[in-house]
Structures are given as C-alpha cells and as structure tokens.
Amino acid sequence: MLKPYNIADVAFQLGQEIGAEGKNSNVYIAHDPQLDAQLVIKKCPKAKMDAAAYFAESSCVYASSHSNVVPIYYACQDPDSIYLAMPYYVNGSLKKLMEVRFLTVREIVIFATQFLSGLHHIHSQKLVHFDIKPDNILLSDRGEALIADFGLAKARGINGLAEQDRLYGKMAPPEAYQAGVYDHRFDIYQVGLTLFRMCVGDAEFYAQYESHMVNGVFDKHTFKHAVINGQFPSAVGDVFPEHIPEALIKVVRKCLLDIDQRYPSVIDIVNDLAAIEGEQLDWKYSHDQAGKHWVKQVDDMIYSLDLDPNRVSIAKKGKAEGPQRRINDYCTNELNRKSTKKFLREN
C-alpha cells in the first residue's frame, strides 16, 4: 500500500505588496513566525491557474539550484490560493535600481555576467525561462544579480523545443509571432532586450514601445511588424549614451538578431562581455532638462563633462578636495558625438 503524504501547517503573515507578477499572481513581503524570518510570498488564486501547473514553478527552481538563481524555500496552498516562499532581498530588482539611476558600464557587465551564469545553468537543465527582464533579476544582499520568477519556465522536449502560450509582449522575440515552440535562443533575445534597457534606460525603452500607441490604443499590428523586422527596439548608435562602448553595443545587437544569427549560447555572450575594458567602464551618467552629465573619479582625480541640449560642453578635471579646472579642448559650442566619445574613452 502506498503511504500517503504527510500534511503539515505553515504560517505566514502577508505584509506590503511589492509587485504584481502579470495577471495571475501578486508578490508580498511576509513574516514567517516559525522561521522568524522576512520572506517574499508569491500568491496566486486557484481560480486563475491550475494548481499543478503553478507548483511546476517550484520544481523548475529546484531543478535549477544555482548561486545566481533565486532559491525557493517552500510551496504550499490553502483552499483558495497557492503560495511560493522565497528570500527577501532588500536591494530589490535590477529594474528598481534602474528607476533610480543609470548603470555604469562596469555594473552592466558584472550584473550581466552574474545573471547569465544562472541562465546558463537553467539552459543546462534543458529549461527555457521565457521571462528574462529587469523585473525578474534580483540583487542579493551582497549585490549580486540573480534570476527569479519561473512562472513561465518550460522544459525542452526531445526535439529541443518548448511550448509556450503565455508571453510578455514587450519582451517577445520575432519568432513569438511566427511559431508556438521555441528553444533557448528565445531567452537570448530577452537577454539582448534586458542589456539594451540597462544601457539606454527604461525611459527610452518605454518611449519606443509607446510610440505604437495610436489615439490612446496600442497598435498591435504595427508593433508586431516592428519586432519581426528588427525595428523594435531601435538599437541605432545614437540611442546609446556616448559612454557605452561599441563592444557592448555589438553584444546587444547580436542578441537581438533573427534567431539563426543570434548568439547560439549564453557562454558566447559572457565571453564577449568579459572582453569589454577601457576608460569608459566607470562613468556615472545622468540626464535632465539641462542636458547630459558624466562624472568619474579615478584615485583622487575627478573628471566631468556636461553637455547641454545644443551640445554646448563644459569639461573639467581636478583633485577631489581641490578646485576643478576646465579642459579647454572639450569646452566648445558644439561638441559632436565623436568628440564626446573620444573624451569619455580617453579620460
């Protein structure tokens, strides 16, 4: 006779809601009195999703145990809802950080290589994540990037393909409009879009997306056409701030190519990212109504460049504790893009 499973109670108190995961679930900070720990609880009403399908997320996470994949503590249910318990990271998500400021190139490379390490492991387990985006990359207490949310993850069959009928439209690759089964290169396209957003900022990404609104209604047909024809996102050179090196731009663009021209594996992306070096890695970039601004500290020296909307520039350098001196060669009435990149590359 088969021995039945033991059933035991768990208890937690849901607190602040910190995000909605699409249409089917919500995420809360919670307190578990048995562990005396602050957790994150993902809650899904049973009326919105099949319980077996939802619990499949927890098994995907266990199958993908890795230092750059968010672990799951436990999965449970009550008569109305299903719950997944995960660690609470006070640093939040990569998207949250991007809402505060632009990332330096060094941060982009480091965060990317970290979450790509987790994604490589996921692919080695013959899984496709299907939902790589800044919201689903969390920053651990040590500041390392971890992949989260396996709600859309699927196993690849013997033909190497996985079925998926629930897609996040903003991050869908061209093949999403042409097929119903996919391989790991679906994730690689989403890596490219994530890197694009890390480079240019979400304001630019959403502006391009919302350009397909017509009289307040999103035009799905023109957006689909733009994605299939490589027009969304527009990754032309001028979109990228001048401190983003060409090597990084090339990585972004290669991830976004048609499926047969895309990177064949995550390791290939990591190898190209690892080769990025130079003086551009540590510029802190911002922009506002007054224009674009860059600042960088090297040892006790501070370098800065301010570029107004008409490209009138003021470049300075000086000791951190002393006066800043103008760099006259780069203080002009019209500093073109090429000269701006030269300054950022050489200082």
Side-chain angles (χ1 to χ4, degrees):
M1 178 182 293
L2 292 175
K3 191 174 182 179
Y5 288 108
N6 291 333
I7 298 177
D9 291 331
V10 295
F12 47 79
Q13 184 177 36
L14 297 180
Q16 176 189 358
E17 184 173 356
I18 57 174
E21 303 260 338
K23 299 178 180 179
N24 297 314
S25 57
N26 299 85
V27 182
Y28 302 86
I29 299 174
H31 180 257
D32 185 318
Q34 292 138 142
L35 300 175
D36 190 22
Q38 198 171 35
L39 308 176
V40 165
I41 296 289
K42 182 176 179 181
K43 174 183 177 181
C44 177
K46 287 183 176 179
K48 293 186 177 182
M49 184 179 288
D50 175 67
Y54 193 81
F55 280 128
E57 175 175 351
S58 59
S59 66
C60 283
V61 176
Y62 277 117
S64 299
S65 178
H66 186 274
S67 59
N68 292 106
V69 175
V70 174
I72 183 166
Y73 290 152
Y74 55 80
C76 60
Q77 60 183 310
D78 62 21
D80 300 313
S81 301
I82 304 161
Y83 305 89
L84 296 182
M86 295 164 282
Y88 170 64
Y89 297 118
V90 67
N91 291 325
S93 67
L94 184 61
K95 180 176 175 60
K96 178 182 175 182
L97 177 60
M98 290 164 54
E99 288 173 350
V100 175
R101 61 174 177 82
F102 282 87
L103 306 176
T104 67
V105 173
R106 189 180 301 277
E107 287 175 322
I108 293 170
V109 171
I110 290 174
F111 287 150
T113 53
Q114 288 169 346
F115 79 73
L116 287 172
S117 176
L119 185 58
H120 172 66
H121 183 73
I122 291 166
H123 289 171
S124 75
Q125 301 298 308
K126 300 189 182 303
L127 295 168
V128 182
H129 187 280
F130 281 119
D131 204 13
I132 303 296
K133 57 186 179 182
D135 317 55
N136 291 339
I137 298 169
L138 302 187
L139 301 178
S140 73
D141 295 339
R142 295 172 56 185
E144 297 178 342
L146 292 71
I147 292 182
D149 196 343
F150 282 65
L152 298 183
K154 299 286 185 181
R156 294 166 61 183
I158 57 174
N159 60 356
L161 301 174
E163 296 184 3
Q164 181 57 265
D165 58 2
R166 295 185 297 135
L167 299 173
Y168 178 52
K170 292 185 180 72
M171 303 289 286
E175 60 267 26
Y177 299 99
Q178 301 166 323
V181 291
Y182 315 96
D183 66 16
H184 65 286
R185 290 172 293 180
F186 189 108
D187 288 346
I188 287 175
Y189 179 90
Q190 292 187 326
V191 168
L193 268 184
T194 298
L195 287 172
F196 176 77
R197 293 169 65 173
M198 293 167 76
C199 289
V200 306
D202 266 350
E204 171 64 29
F205 174 74
Y206 284 110
Q208 290 194 24
Y209 180 78
E210 290 165 6
S211 70
H212 295 277
M213 298 289 290
V214 179
N215 297 324
V217 178
F218 187 72
D219 190 330
K220 295 180 180 179
H221 177 75
T222 62
F223 180 71
K224 172 183 174 180
H225 182 273
V227 172
I228 291 174
N229 289 282
Q231 297 164 341
F232 177 86
S234 175
V236 296
D238 289 356
V239 168
F240 292 89
E242 287 89 337
H243 68 289
I244 303 295
E246 289 299 322
L248 180 51
I249 295 173
K250 288 180 180 178
V251 172
V252 172
R253 288 173 175 163
K254 188 168 182 178
C255 289
L256 297 175
L257 291 173
D258 286 338
I259 188 166
D260 292 331
Q261 299 173 291
R262 216 171 285 164
Y263 280 105
S265 75
V266 167
I267 290 299
D268 294 305
I269 305 174
V270 172
N271 288 340
D272 281 354
L273 288 173
I276 295 173
E277 56 185 15
E279 299 300 324
Q280 294 161 279
L281 269 62
D282 295 307
W283 284 107
K284 295 180 180 179
Y285 171 71
S286 62
H287 70 74
D288 53 29
Q289 291 183 341
K292 299 179 179 180
H293 314 280
W294 290 268
V295 64
K296 180 174 72 170
Q297 182 165 349
V298 181
D299 299 325
D300 63 342
M301 289 291 292
I302 293 179
Y303 299 84
S304 67
L305 176 65
D306 296 304
L307 195 64
D308 81 4
N310 297 315
R311 303 199 73 90
V312 175
S313 61
I314 299 176
K316 296 179 180 180
K317 69 176 181 180
K319 297 281 188 177
E321 301 300 326
Q324 301 294 299
R325 296 183 292 107
R326 291 165 66 97
I327 305 174
N328 291 328
D329 288 347
Y330 292 97
C331 295
T332 75
N333 289 327
E334 189 176 356
L335 189 69
N336 62 34
R337 185 174 177 86
K338 181 179 179 180
S339 296
T340 303
K341 292 173 73 72
K342 182 180 179 183
F343 173 85
L344 297 169
R345 188 172 58 248
E346 295 181 353
N347 290 281

